[in-house]
Amino acid sequence: MATSDGPGATPAFDTSQPTIARVYDALLGGKDNFAVDREGAATYLKYVPDAGRCAIDNRAALVRGVQYLVRDAGVDQFLDIGSGLPTQKNTHQAAQEINPNAKVVYVDVDPIVLAHGRALLATNDNTTVVTADLRQPQEILDHPDVKRQLDFSRPIALMVVGIHMHFHDDEKPDEWVRTLMDQLVPGSYLFITDFVDTGEPLQKAMEQAGLESLGNGWIRTPERIEQHFLGMPLVPPGLDFLERWNPSAPDDEVPDVDELQPYQKILMAGIAKKV
Ligand code: SAM
């Protein structure tokens, strides 16, 4: 594995404030978090008792999406932004169990991701972890480890999974993603999950939990989430609640929306193709 600041460097962690990556890790039952992060996770659980299941379901959708992209779409390069801690089955494992040569670059703003990625991926030359910020997309594109690992003359899957909710629309997150997508060739993909607002009280509770614990975590209407895909066509089944979304088997029997538990209506997923 390659890392962006060389082997042996130990980033300092601020344990006075919760971070998104560490709170999410705590919700997933991971151990790479501090007391302040567990307090943040407790706030989520206070508002949404099944918040941990939402996180697990999001990871499961991530795996389904990655495996669709490798198996069905033939993608073998992934730029996974806001990748989080490798608590559960991760993008590189999902991709490389189908194609061992698939290349994965993880990008996260939280230095703890790099610290843990270094240890866990030490023997995997096809996987790289970079500390960088989605809000500075050109810096991601110019990063030497990104350029070394990915071939921008061939299709790449850009993953922005479980991260839009942490940015308010006023920050224009779609423009950062557009800068990245503009550099990818036709045949590339954009994979997104986001918190949704279809009027369910528990969706609003999830937003409240995020605002109280992290200061962010906004919900959006499905119409607004569709705009994240920058006008590119979505692959079947389009944008849907995680429980109903399976791009490898979109015609399989899916539960009616009315059959979903309230916690299963908190996130939606979709994959678009650049044509
Ligand atoms: N993508 C993973 C998933 O869906 O399971 C992790 C999602 S986690 C909820 C969001 C991640 O985005 C965290 O690891 C956090 O550190 C990262 N993140 C937040 N702001 C970011 C930024 N500006 N640039 C890059 N990563 C960021």
Side-chain angles (χ1 to χ4, degrees), residues 106-273:
Y106 291 122
V107 176
D108 204 288
V109 77
D110 192 327
I112 199 168
V113 173
L114 175 61
H116 286 271
R118 176 184 294 127
L120 285 169
L121 303 173
T123 57
N124 189 324
D125 289 337
N126 287 330
T127 307
T128 302
V129 184
V130 167
T131 300
D133 192 331
L134 175 60
R135 291 169 294 188
Q136 310 293 337
Q138 195 57 47
E139 287 182 18
I140 295 174
L141 292 163
D142 292 342
H143 196 290
D145 289 348
V146 175
K147 287 163 99 166
R148 183 170 51 243
Q149 189 71 286
L150 301 178
D151 175 357
F152 280 78
S153 71
R154 295 195 303 108
I156 293 172
L158 175 63
M159 298 175 56
V160 193
V161 175
I163 176 164
H164 279 86
M165 66 282 279
H166 301 299
F167 305 106
H168 195 273
D169 279 336
D170 289 352
E171 287 194 81
K172 299 194 172 21
D174 293 346
E175 294 312 308
W176 310 325
V177 176
R178 187 188 303 280
T179 299
L180 295 163
M181 250 359 262
D182 280 352
Q183 297 303 310
L184 307 188
V185 297
S188 294
Y189 289 84
L190 175 59
F191 178 14
I192 289 171
T193 70
D194 198 7
F195 283 170
V196 69
D197 180 6
T198 58
E200 295 280 336
L202 201 69
Q203 296 164 342
K204 201 72 193 160
M206 196 69 160
E207 180 177 77
Q208 188 61 34
L211 295 178
E212 196 172 306
S213 60
L214 295 165
N216 56 60
W218 294 278
I219 57 177
R220 293 182 170 90
T221 62
E223 296 72 29
R224 176 66 197 92
I225 296 175
E226 290 241 12
Q227 293 173 8
H228 294 335
F229 295 96
L230 312 170
M232 297 184 295
L234 286 146
V235 305
L239 181 71
D240 213 331
F241 294 112
L242 301 184
E243 189 70 13
R244 291 165 43 87
W245 182 80
N246 185 353
S248 283
D251 299 327
D252 269 14
E253 204 166 299
V254 292
D256 286 342
V257 173
D258 293 348
E259 291 175 302
L260 298 179
Q261 299 291 319
Y263 81 87
Q264 294 172 322
K265 296 186 191 170
I266 285 178
L267 283 130
M268 282 190 166
I271 291 178
K273 181 174 185 180

